[in-house]
Amino acid sequence: MAGRDIRRTGFILACLVPGLVLYLGLVIVPFVRTIQLSTFRFSGLSTKMVPNGTENFQKLWESEQFWWALRNNFTILVVVAPILLALSMALAHAAVGDSKLARGMRTVYLFPNLISLVAAALIWRAVYHPTVGLLRSTGLKGPQDGWLGDLNTAFPSFAVAFIWVSMGFYTMLFCAGLAGIPAEVHEACELEGARGWRKYLWVTRPLMWPVRRVAAVHVTIASLGVFALVNVMTEGAPSNRTETMLNALYRMMTIEGSFGKAAAMGVVMMCITAVSSSVLWLMFRKNPLEGRR
Amino acid sequence: MKILRSVLMVLFALSVVLPVAWVFFSSIKSNSDITLSPFAVTNPPAWGNFEKAWTEQDLGAAFVFSLLVTVLTIVVLIPIGSMMAYALSKYKFKGSGAILGLVTMGMLFPNLLAAVPLFLTMVKIGLDDTLLGLVLAYVAYSLSFTVFVLHGFFSALPDELGEAATIDGAGHWSLFLRVMMPLAKPGIWVVLIFNAIGLWNEYNLAKILMLKQKTLPVGLSDLISQQQYAGDWGAIFAGAVLVMVPVLTLYLVLKDKVQQAMLAGAIK
């Protein structure tokens, strides 16, 4: 008996230890150390680490970059993301089904999600560019400094690119949700005369609750974690109008060389991510249909 | 109504295909043609853009390096990830739930949050700017999704299978390798494809960890920021084609598997 227990324990350990060592050493410990490092002043390895209390956070508080980053991520989360999900839901209603056209179109929809975000960012840079731009060639000249160079149009232009990148994914997700609704439900709706908006609000939407929860989680993570798209498209310019939290962290670390401030930015983001996750959990705690059947 | 649906469908498909196709066409056009006649297809094709991107701009080296990193990461990640997922789903012990929670929690937080300490750790263990360092970081940061998905697949396999095999005298390892792994093949496909695409395209970690040897996405992004004033769009578009072609080819060959993989974290 003892030999069997030892073999079992040995097997479990052999399975878990390699992954756990890597995960703890390169993911968990760095995450925790971000908190510690945020209370030091240092720039890279060569410099001495000087404890400076909450100075990094005060510097963040006083910087315009920080507030623009917060503001932009918040706008993405509460304005752009809902638009993205609404558009995807509408498109999913059009693209659901097994017809050859629908299947072919859905194949195409995933393209932006598959290609590198750097390539997607390049595409949109090229679309908006003041001299080679596709939009310029079609006559939509836009502001003098280009769509991405103008203080007023930069963020909305970025938002369009953000929606373009993920809309296919959410459309496919909602298509799968729609396809999962049993045929009897559609028949019952037909009999009762429920159609259009009424059918959506009272039948389809509640039935899609599990898929909508998944979409909400995904879109929240994606909205707070915007980096590559902004980093390649605009680097936060002009005047922080497209700055995001992660891009700010990156710039503080590499361009400014203030590692402590970058870590403080990381801590702020961790808190915001944790709060958003809790809010999501509260919003989607219980399937409203459960227990009502 | 049906026409409206078709129009909507096709419109979005065009908004996806046209810009991508435009990049492909522009990659074989001279710089003056790109600016002056953006929509014309020019003859003869300017293959020189690819030569410039591949050799002069070093994207060839970046391409090979990215391929190497992707393959090596997958080779390390899949065994480690499957072992973890399997042990956590089929062997209940005190703390197994907590470990699973800790490992999958990584999916909630963007990896760059830990950029500063991660970079310092890499320097400390002497693996900054090395292939091995990047591969280890990639494995660590890919474990959350991999374990999450495979845990789902292993949990769905009936426990009786294990009991039957154990009665036949199979040990833990042969049960895992001979019985469970083959049955979890659909799950392995999912994590294989999802990670391969994600790693090939990975930008965040490569951007902060690799200063000398660049991956293809980082090399392309540097080319974009260098060339914005020089205006060599031909080479940039050629670089973009280089990064897109492998993934789109994989998609065309394994369409259903790729679609399943991309939605796997979301739909079981």
Side-chain angles (χ1 to χ4, degrees):
Chain A
M1 203 58 191
R4 265 180 65 184
D5 275 354
I6 290 170
R7 275 205 295 278
R8 182 176 185 267
T9 313
F11 176 75
I12 296 174
L13 282 176
C15 282
L16 293 183
V17 167
L20 276 182
V21 167
L22 276 177
Y23 186 73
L24 288 176
L26 296 178
V27 181
I28 296 296
V29 171
F31 267 87
V32 176
R33 269 195 79 206
T34 301
I35 302 168
Q36 180 210 352
L37 292 176
S38 69
T39 60
F40 285 90
R41 181 185 331 124
F42 70 118
S43 52
L45 289 158
S46 46
T47 56
K48 236 179 47 200
M49 288 175 60
V50 186
N52 68 348
T54 57
E55 202 186 298
N56 291 322
F57 292 93
Q58 280 165 18
K59 274 198 215 143
L60 278 185
W61 189 270
E62 286 157 12
S63 81
E64 247 184 66
Q65 183 188 17
F66 173 73
W67 290 108
W68 274 110
L70 239 55
R71 180 188 150 147
N72 287 338
N73 274 114
F74 188 71
T75 313
I76 295 171
L77 184 61
V78 301
V79 181
V80 182
I83 294 175
L84 163 66
L85 293 186
L87 288 173
S88 306
M89 186 63 92
L91 187 58
H93 276 83
V96 73
D98 255 341
S99 75
K100 215 167 178 185
L101 178 70
R103 284 222 308 272
M105 294 296 117
R106 288 207 300 268
T107 305
V108 170
Y109 290 173
L110 214 53
F111 276 17
N113 212 256
L114 293 170
I115 62 174
S116 154
L117 277 169
V118 178
L122 166 68
I123 287 175
W124 284 94
R125 259 180 93 128
V127 166
Y128 290 130
H129 199 274
T131 56
V132 294
L134 266 186
L135 276 182
R136 177 205 60 108
S137 315
T138 54
L140 289 164
K141 266 182 90 102
Q144 206 182 350
D145 300 320
W147 294 93
L148 289 173
D150 186 88
L151 292 182
N152 296 315
T153 57
F155 184 80
S157 305
F158 159 76
V160 170
F162 178 80
I163 291 177
W164 182 84
V165 167
S166 4
M167 197 165 138
F169 170 78
Y170 293 104
T171 303
M172 303 272 290
L173 191 63
F174 291 144
C175 276
L178 282 173
I181 294 175
E184 303 94 75
V185 174
H186 293 298
E187 284 157 22
C189 283
E190 201 72 33
L191 283 176
E192 305 281 339
R195 259 183 231 110
W197 277 105
R198 275 168 61 94
K199 180 177 172 188
Y200 174 69
L201 286 175
W202 293 97
V203 182
T204 323
R205 198 178 127 95
L207 281 174
M208 298 246 300
W209 185 88
V211 171
R212 285 193 298 120
R213 178 172 67 171
V214 169
V217 173
H218 268 259
V219 91
T220 303
I221 297 169
S223 301
L224 296 176
V226 177
F227 175 64
L229 196 60
V230 153
N231 190 254
V232 181
M233 256 175 93
T234 62
E235 291 174 79
S239 308
N240 299 317
R241 286 308 192 276
T242 57
E243 188 63 288
T244 63
M245 295 190 285
L246 277 187
N247 194 56
L249 187 156
Y250 169 80
R251 279 167 65 186
M252 288 165 192
M253 179 177 166
T254 57
I255 295 163
E256 237 177 85
S258 350
F259 277 42
K261 201 170 141 195
M265 184 74 235
V267 172
V268 172
M269 244 195 105
M270 255 180 234
C271 299
I272 292 177
T273 310
V275 170
S276 315
S277 305
S278 317
V279 171
L280 265 184
W281 186 78
L282 284 174
M283 277 170 70
F284 286 94
R285 197 172 26 169
K286 197 171 173 296
N287 188 338
L289 287 183
E290 260 163 39
R292 263 215 275 159
R293 287 191 183 143
Chain B
M1 202 50 202
K2 216 176 152 196
I3 292 177
L4 185 73
R5 281 175 57 178
S6 304
V7 168
L8 205 63
M9 253 196 292
V10 174
L11 270 184
F12 184 66
L14 285 178
S15 89
V16 167
V17 168
L18 288 181
V20 176
W22 182 68
V23 170
F24 273 82
F25 282 121
S26 300
S27 73
I28 46 169
K29 283 161 72 167
S30 71
N31 280 316
S32 58
D33 282 340
I34 291 172
T35 324
L36 295 176
S37 43
F39 301 115
V41 180
T42 47
N43 248 332
W47 295 109
N49 290 332
F50 282 91
E51 214 180 301
K52 247 188 301 179
W54 189 271
T55 45
E56 266 175 53
Q57 305 296 344
D58 264 349
L59 289 189
F63 188 99
V64 175
F65 184 71
S66 274
L67 200 62
L68 200 61
V69 171
T70 305
V71 171
L72 281 176
T73 305
I74 293 284
V75 167
V76 181
L77 170 70
I78 301 293
I80 290 186
S82 343
M83 288 194 307
M84 282 183 95
Y86 175 68
L88 290 173
S89 69
K90 289 296 178 204
Y91 292 81
K92 294 286 170 257
F93 56 93
K94 217 175 169 185
S96 61
I99 294 178
L100 181 69
L102 187 72
V103 172
T104 51
M105 199 178 71
M107 285 194 296
L108 287 181
F109 294 91
N111 51 20
L112 271 193
L113 285 192
V116 174
L118 178 65
F119 174 74
L120 296 179
T121 308
M122 282 298 172
V123 176
K124 212 172 182 178
I125 56 178
L127 291 179
D128 58 311
D129 230 343
T130 62
L131 172 71
L132 180 63
L134 190 63
V135 167
L136 290 181
Y138 277 180
V139 172
Y141 281 88
S142 312
L143 274 174
S144 297
F145 174 84
T146 306
V147 171
F148 173 73
V149 169
L150 288 180
H151 184 270
F153 276 92
F154 281 124
S155 298
L157 299 178
D159 289 332
E160 291 79 30
L161 274 172
E163 284 155 23
T166 316
I167 291 166
D168 290 342
H172 296 289
W173 283 107
S174 62
L175 170 62
F176 170 52
L177 294 172
R178 303 242 171 85
V179 182
M180 295 299 190
M181 278 302 268
L183 287 171
K185 223 172 175 181
I188 304 288
W189 268 111
V190 165
V191 292
L192 187 78
I193 292 176
F194 184 91
N195 283 309
I197 293 174
L199 292 165
W200 175 258
N201 291 334
E202 207 282 336
Y203 181 74
N204 299 13
L205 294 177
K207 182 90 177 167
I208 58 152
L209 293 179
M210 304 306 286
L211 306 174
K212 281 181 239 108
Q213 179 57 67
K214 288 165 190 160
T215 61
L216 188 54
V218 174
L220 176 62
S221 120
D222 286 356
L223 183 62
I224 292 170
S225 51
Q226 281 161 30
Q227 295 292 318
Q228 60 176 337
Y229 304 109
D232 190 355
W233 284 90
I236 294 178
F237 287 132
V241 169
L242 285 179
V243 73
M244 288 192 291
V245 157
V247 177
L248 292 182
T249 312
L250 181 77
Y251 186 40
L252 294 180
V253 176
L254 296 172
K255 197 191 97 192
D256 293 338
K257 283 207 163 71
V258 173
Q259 285 188 356
Q260 199 205 347
M262 296 314 281
L263 294 169
I267 309 167
K268 289 235 182 79

